[in-house]
Amino acid sequence: ETRGGGKGAYDQPYRLYNLDVFEYELDNPMALYGSVPLMLAHSAESTVGVFWMNAAETWIDVSRQKGGGAFGALFGRGSASQPPAVNTHWISESGVMDIFLLPGPGAADVYRQYAELVEPTPLPREFSLGYHQCRWNYIDQEDVLSVNSKLEENKIPYDVIWLDIEHTDGKRYFTWDQPKFPDPVAMQQELARNGHKLVNVVDPHIKRDSEYRVWKEASENGYFVKNKDGSTDFQGWCWPGDSNWVDYMNPQASKWISEQFHLDKYNQSTTDMFVWNDMNEPAVFNGPEITMDKDSKHYGGWEHRDVHNIFGMLYHKATADGLCTRESPATRPFVLSRAYFAGSQRYGAIWTGDNTAEWSHLQASIPMILSNNVAGMHFVGADVGGFFGNPDAQLLTRWYQLGIWYPFFRAHAHIDTKRREPWLLGEPYLTYIRDAIRERYRLLPFWYTLFREASLTGMPIARPMWIEFPSEQKLFAAQDSFMIGSSIMVVPATEPDANQVIEVNFPTQENWYDMKTHALYIAPLKRQFSLDLSTTLVFARGGSIIPTRERQRSSSALMKRDPFTIYVY
């Protein structure tokens, strides 16, 4: 609950306004990188939802009311004898009231209804479901190839290595720092030799420089967002210094930026290189709340206040369109975006932003991943190890053991942190982390199947327990366990104890099987397990069929022709 909710309630409403928040607080209703104005209500009898389609700054108050409330009464499910209902009050700064009611009556019905409005998550490229190795920044071409060699030498499978802003020529996107990256094509070809890909960051701010082709073309064609006068270009400060921002509300500007990702425009790029959109809330270092002025003008006369929360999504879309059309026939893109809105799932992955190397952030990643999946943002991850700070070996190991169950699985770190690639930890941590990553690759056919299901039904991939067990009220608020699809229950170890005891609640009249030992547990059952750092708790649900590939390779591409092993539980 928010204001007026009594003890334990937030003192502010939830705020939907995409912002670049430095070292964000946990368990806070403040604004963050993405906004999805979707709310679900669930009881043992039914699930319903409401989608508030408005891209302006939005506030939501949550309170309880006796007798089922207005929403329950609307669907004929409210009476004075019922327990208190949750009511919500929505306020948007501008725009129209464009509201969609999702009557359910079950969770699968709500997700089918929601997918009909915003479209489901498309099936991604298989490599994007593997392990992504990233930091701000791998220093140069030699560093990239060294990390690639070390991963292969230590028999750690991975699919993608990432480059942050320092790979560019003075933060001019679509360029390379040539002294550090003298032959980017040869580098990409060497990575691709064993099926590996490269991802480069391309942020939306364009450095003001008359000698910079990208800025010059956008300026000459009038493609930048305007000031409130509607004629002069909006100007702000970001990583390159003085910058302008392309107006993606303008169809011609959006088409033009898409074309910059084509092979003939993005110099020394190849079809094995993909893209990361960061800072696209948009982040403006000298702007109000580190973003764009609300009275800035977009194509069609729209003020920025009207479209703020879709700015990042429109850039995400333009980038994905560019990667789709750089080849003939068109191929599926991979684009990671920090900012997002309802519908962003159509264009690629997102992540939870700049987290911290603390146990509390490891724990918080679970409800963050689940909340985004509940909101239809299925392809989501959290920075494994924490972006800020230096995790100790135990925290980093536990984060990998949890991170393999994020739909998007990437390790990332700040430029000021110590290097933390798995082999640097030594034994036994290297073995524990390698075993975890290998388990992700063993289950890639299962993950790909889940994304296929999501592309058809809109169902979440990482699911809170209540979605699979809708009548078990004790599971409604569960965050210490979650489901991957309908088949696998994960009970992560998230406390700073190398040896700990975890209690597992096995729900309903079902059989559950330990996925390592295949030991059987007949539910309903409450059981304690003693764990050391090598142990994880993952259980297959009786009646499930789980496809795997058991041969270990250095990338998903090299597994393509390997046989499947089918586990029937």
Side-chain angles (χ1 to χ4, degrees):
E1 290 184 84
T2 57
R3 296 181 297 174
K7 185 178 180 181
Y10 296 125
D11 59 4
Q12 294 291 323
Y14 291 95
R15 186 187 185 201
L16 302 184
Y17 191 64
N18 294 358
L19 292 176
D20 176 9
V21 181
F22 180 76
E23 295 186 344
Y24 59 78
E25 299 176 9
L26 298 178
D27 194 22
N28 192 312
M30 68 180 182
L32 208 53
Y33 312 104
S35 301
V36 181
L38 171 73
M39 182 166 287
L40 270 63
H42 175 74
S43 71
E45 291 77 33
S46 63
T47 306
V48 295
V50 59
F51 174 45
W52 177 278
M53 196 171 70
N54 189 304
E57 180 180 7
T58 297
W59 302 80
I60 306 103
D61 257 327
V62 182
S63 61
R64 294 183 183 274
Q65 178 179 324
K66 293 182 179 180
F71 199 46
L74 182 62
F75 291 104
R77 298 169 187 164
S79 72
S81 62
Q82 286 186 336
V86 177
N87 285 339
T88 63
H89 181 199
W90 299 66
I91 307 167
S92 290
E93 180 182 6
S94 64
V96 298
M97 286 183 61
D98 201 358
I99 304 169
F100 298 85
L101 303 179
L102 311 174
D109 302 303
V110 167
Y111 285 112
R112 174 181 52 79
Q113 293 154 6
Y114 183 59
E116 289 175 358
L117 297 174
V118 300
E119 297 184 17
T121 299
L123 193 61
R125 297 277 286 267
E126 189 176 25
F127 78 80
S128 65
L129 304 183
Y131 173 50
H132 299 249
Q133 182 69 56
C134 181
R135 74 172 281 112
W136 176 22
N137 203 91
Y138 288 117
I139 299 169
D140 52 27
Q141 185 165 327
E142 182 180 356
D143 193 16
V144 168
L145 295 179
S146 174
V147 171
N148 172 66
S149 296
K150 282 290 187 181
L151 285 161
E152 294 192 344
E153 176 186 323
N154 286 280
K155 297 185 176 0
I156 299 172
Y158 90 100
D159 267 80
V160 189
I161 193 164
W162 294 53
L163 290 176
D164 212 320
I165 55 178
E166 310 303 331
H167 82 276
T168 61
D169 176 13
K171 314 300 189 297
R172 298 170 181 85
Y173 302 107
F174 307 101
T175 70
W176 301 84
D177 184 339
Q178 290 295 156
K180 292 182 178 179
F181 296 90
D183 195 342
V185 171
M187 178 181 69
Q188 292 167 72
Q189 290 173 340
E190 175 61 22
L191 295 175
R193 190 168 60 86
N194 282 325
H196 304 305
K197 312 294 184 184
L198 181 72
V199 165
N200 280 2
V201 73
V202 183
D203 291 347
H205 43 265
I206 306 295
K207 182 180 176 68
R208 289 176 58 85
D209 178 357
S210 60
E211 300 300 314
Y212 175 30
R213 177 191 64 81
V214 176
W215 181 86
K216 186 177 180 182
E217 286 185 15
S219 178
E220 290 175 349
N221 287 285
Y223 288 158
F224 290 129
V225 177
K226 307 302 180 186
N227 287 310
K228 63 181 179 181
D229 60 17
S231 57
T232 58
D233 291 339
F234 172 82
Q235 182 177 338
W237 192 265
C238 208
W239 295 125
D242 281 339
S243 304
N244 298 112
W245 279 258
V246 172
D247 183 1
Y248 308 105
M249 296 289 290
N250 180 341
Q252 291 302 314
S254 184
K255 181 175 181 292
W256 172 83
I257 201 69
S258 294
E259 292 169 349
Q260 305 313 304
F261 293 98
H262 290 182
L263 301 180
D264 61 338
K265 293 290 182 67
Y266 196 151
N267 189 36
Q268 297 178 295
S269 67
T270 73
T271 55
D272 290 307
M273 193 200 80
F274 297 85
V275 179
W276 168 19
N277 293 158
D278 201 0
M279 314 296 286
N280 56 332
E281 293 77 24
V284 182
F285 290 161
N286 61 336
E289 297 192 274
I290 318 180
T291 194
M292 189 172 287
D293 294 49
K294 287 186 174 182
D295 57 5
S296 300
K297 286 290 184 65
H298 290 268
Y299 179 85
W302 294 101
E303 285 192 317
H304 184 71
R305 76 181 75 247
D306 303 316
V307 299
H308 174 84
N309 285 342
I310 61 171
F311 183 91
M313 182 179 74
L314 294 178
Y315 182 44
H316 198 184
K317 177 184 184 299
T319 304
D321 287 347
L323 295 186
C324 279
T325 56
R326 70 180 176 180
E327 298 179 72
S328 181
T331 58
R332 285 176 287 173
F334 171 74
V335 186
L336 177 72
S337 174
R338 190 170 72 176
Y340 56 94
F341 188 73
S344 288
Q345 75 284 343
R346 296 172 290 178
Y347 310 118
I350 62 165
W351 90 107
T352 62
D354 299 341
N355 58 0
T356 302
E358 296 175 357
W359 288 93
S360 59
H361 279 256
L362 171 65
Q363 295 155 6
S365 72
I366 299 171
M368 294 178 82
I369 297 294
L370 295 179
S371 294
N372 275 289
N373 266 263
V374 165
M377 302 303 303
H378 303 135
F379 201 2
V380 58
D383 286 344
V384 170
F387 178 68
F388 292 111
N390 296 298
D392 61 28
Q394 182 185 332
L395 173 57
L396 189 55
T397 299
R398 286 301 190 198
W399 215 317
Y400 271 96
Q401 290 170 343
L402 173 58
I404 65 167
W405 302 107
Y406 300 157
F408 172 60
F409 175 36
R410 181 184 75 153
H412 186 36
H414 189 274
I415 194 171
D416 293 331
T417 61
K418 298 176 183 177
R419 294 290 283 259
R420 59 171 86 146
E421 288 77 17
W423 58 88
L424 297 176
L425 276 64
E427 295 294 355
Y429 309 105
L430 171 58
T431 293
Y432 298 159
I433 291 172
R434 178 172 52 225
D435 287 349
I437 297 173
R438 285 180 167 184
E439 181 69 359
R440 172 69 172 218
Y441 276 80
R442 190 176 78 90
L443 289 167
L444 279 183
F446 174 70
W447 282 100
Y448 200 68
T449 301
L450 289 180
F451 272 90
R452 171 64 172 167
E453 178 190 10
S455 73
L456 297 173
T457 67
M459 282 291 285
I461 290 170
R463 302 176 185 175
M465 298 297 290
W466 63 262
I467 288 182
E468 286 301 313
F469 308 100
S471 61
E472 295 207 20
Q473 296 190 22
K474 64 183 179 181
L475 297 177
F476 286 2
Q479 296 182 7
D480 55 356
S481 60
F482 59 93
M483 299 292 294
I484 299 298
S486 62
S487 301
I488 293 177
M489 179 173 68
V490 180
V491 188
T494 59
E495 296 293 336
D497 298 307
N499 298 291
Q500 54 188 286
V501 175
I502 293 181
E503 186 172 86
V504 177
N505 288 295
F506 294 96
T508 73
Q509 299 285 339
E510 305 225 17
N511 292 339
W512 294 88
Y513 298 86
D514 186 300
M515 285 190 61
K516 287 189 176 179
T517 67
H518 304 298
L520 169 64
Y521 301 95
I522 301 175
L525 174 68
K526 186 178 289 186
R527 171 76 180 270
Q528 289 187 334
F529 293 83
S530 296
L531 276 68
D532 60 24
L533 198 56
S534 69
T535 312
T536 59
L537 296 176
V538 182
F539 303 93
R541 188 179 185 179
S544 299
I545 300 175
I546 297 177
T548 69
R549 279 192 168 117
E550 301 291 328
R551 293 178 183 172
Q552 289 298 324
R553 308 286 190 182
S554 63
S555 71
S556 64
L558 299 184
M559 301 169 70
K560 289 286 188 185
R561 298 186 182 278
D562 286 348
F564 292 97
T565 299
I566 305 296
Y567 288 82
V568 181
Y569 290 94

